[in-house]
Amino acid sequence: MTASDISARLARRLAWHQALHDPDFDPRARSHWLAELRRWQAARLRVSFAHFLEDPARAPAANFFLGDVYGDRDFTRRDADIARVLPTMRRLLPAPLLATVADAIELGALSQALDLHMVDALQRLAPRRRRLDDALYAEAYRAVGRAGLRRRQVRLIGRVGRGFGKALKMRGVSALLAFSRGPARLAGLTELQGFLERGYAAFEALGDPDAFVAEIERDEGEVSRRLLAGHPAPYALDD
């Protein structure tokens, strides 16, 4: 895909992402279940990523995924930055790095869409409950289903990681990010700049980015498969 094609894809994904996070567009975004779901999922991921976090070489990349890619952080400011500078990004960023930003936005939008379906399920299954536990989460996950979209979600996680891994091999990316730091701060684009810098730095510390990403894809794909199948211990992947 050309930079122009990727930019158009990014613009579409950004509009989708912003709509799904707008409570005036989708009132489910106001539900108490959404905040509880994000809290629960972020806590579960930290447990699943514990072996990464204990490894000094892989901890930065794991924290990047938990905080910037697949966590419970509010990405509104970052996405507003992207919307403001989309034409400039198309001119300055290498196409593979621009594609990685588009994948990250799509991942956030798809995750939000699936979470909103989870909100529907939780409101049906436990209208008086306020907190999640393993059993209720698994029941809602099966009620939502959408196995194909869950697989797409896991693939996007891998694509974002591999995108930053590829950026390490491209000439001039490190210098470009360093050069743009001051202008980004002056223009109020610190969230977008931080996202790119943190991703680049996190994957630079990895000895083998592809192996790291493949392990996440394999494990998260297996967790999803087990949840959909009603496995009694979906997160115990050593079993």
Side-chain angles (χ1 to χ4, degrees), residues 3 8 133 141 144 190 199:
D133 58 23
Y141 196 99
V144 170
T190 53

PDB file of all heavy atoms in Angstrom, residues 3 8 133 141 144 190 199:
ATOM      1  N   ALA A   3       1.646   5.364   0.803  1.00  0.00           N
ATOM      2  CA  ALA A   3       1.404   6.209   1.972  1.00  0.00           C
ATOM      3  C   ALA A   3       0.014   6.840   1.901  1.00  0.00           C
ATOM      4  O   ALA A   3      -0.669   7.010   2.923  1.00  0.00           O
ATOM      5  CB  ALA A   3       2.485   7.284   2.064  1.00  0.00           C
ATOM      6  N   ALA A   8      -5.460   7.088   4.089  1.00  0.00           N
ATOM      7  CA  ALA A   8      -6.921   6.997   3.968  1.00  0.00           C
ATOM      8  C   ALA A   8      -7.475   5.945   4.925  1.00  0.00           C
ATOM      9  O   ALA A   8      -8.516   6.157   5.572  1.00  0.00           O
ATOM     10  CB  ALA A   8      -7.303   6.665   2.528  1.00  0.00           C
ATOM     11  N   ASP A 133     -15.689 -11.114  37.989  1.00  0.00           N
ATOM     12  CA  ASP A 133     -14.787 -12.174  38.424  1.00  0.00           C
ATOM     13  C   ASP A 133     -14.547 -13.078  37.217  1.00  0.00           C
ATOM     14  O   ASP A 133     -15.099 -12.868  36.127  1.00  0.00           O
ATOM     15  CB  ASP A 133     -15.345 -12.950  39.621  1.00  0.00           C
ATOM     16  CG  ASP A 133     -16.712 -13.573  39.339  1.00  0.00           C
ATOM     17  OD1 ASP A 133     -17.050 -13.801  38.155  1.00  0.00           O
ATOM     18  OD2 ASP A 133     -17.446 -13.834  40.301  1.00  0.00           O
ATOM     19  N   TYR A 141     -17.991 -13.403  27.806  1.00  0.00           N
ATOM     20  CA  TYR A 141     -17.139 -13.592  26.627  1.00  0.00           C
ATOM     21  C   TYR A 141     -17.779 -14.599  25.672  1.00  0.00           C
ATOM     22  O   TYR A 141     -17.837 -14.371  24.453  1.00  0.00           O
ATOM     23  CB  TYR A 141     -15.763 -14.076  27.086  1.00  0.00           C
ATOM     24  CG  TYR A 141     -14.652 -13.956  26.070  1.00  0.00           C
ATOM     25  CD1 TYR A 141     -13.766 -12.890  26.109  1.00  0.00           C
ATOM     26  CD2 TYR A 141     -14.452 -14.940  25.100  1.00  0.00           C
ATOM     27  CE1 TYR A 141     -12.719 -12.787  25.200  1.00  0.00           C
ATOM     28  CE2 TYR A 141     -13.416 -14.848  24.193  1.00  0.00           C
ATOM     29  CZ  TYR A 141     -12.551 -13.766  24.248  1.00  0.00           C
ATOM     30  OH  TYR A 141     -11.509 -13.677  23.336  1.00  0.00           O
ATOM     31  N   VAL A 144     -20.909 -13.146  23.948  1.00  0.00           N
ATOM     32  CA  VAL A 144     -20.586 -12.248  22.838  1.00  0.00           C
ATOM     33  C   VAL A 144     -20.119 -13.037  21.621  1.00  0.00           C
ATOM     34  O   VAL A 144     -20.499 -12.740  20.475  1.00  0.00           O
ATOM     35  CB  VAL A 144     -19.503 -11.227  23.262  1.00  0.00           C
ATOM     36  CG1 VAL A 144     -18.979 -10.455  22.058  1.00  0.00           C
ATOM     37  CG2 VAL A 144     -20.062 -10.266  24.299  1.00  0.00           C
ATOM     38  N   THR A 190       2.446  15.923  22.102  1.00  0.00           N
ATOM     39  CA  THR A 190       3.299  15.087  22.940  1.00  0.00           C
ATOM     40  C   THR A 190       2.782  13.659  23.066  1.00  0.00           C
ATOM     41  O   THR A 190       3.576  12.727  23.222  1.00  0.00           O
ATOM     42  CB  THR A 190       3.427  15.708  24.337  1.00  0.00           C
ATOM     43  OG1 THR A 190       2.109  15.952  24.867  1.00  0.00           O
ATOM     44  CG2 THR A 190       4.190  17.028  24.287  1.00  0.00           C
ATOM     45  N   GLY A 199       7.288   3.142  21.664  1.00  0.00           N
ATOM     46  CA  GLY A 199       7.261   1.904  20.889  1.00  0.00           C
ATOM     47  C   GLY A 199       8.616   1.590  20.286  1.00  0.00           C
ATOM     48  O   GLY A 199       9.094   0.445  20.358  1.00  0.00           O
TER      49      GLY A 199
END
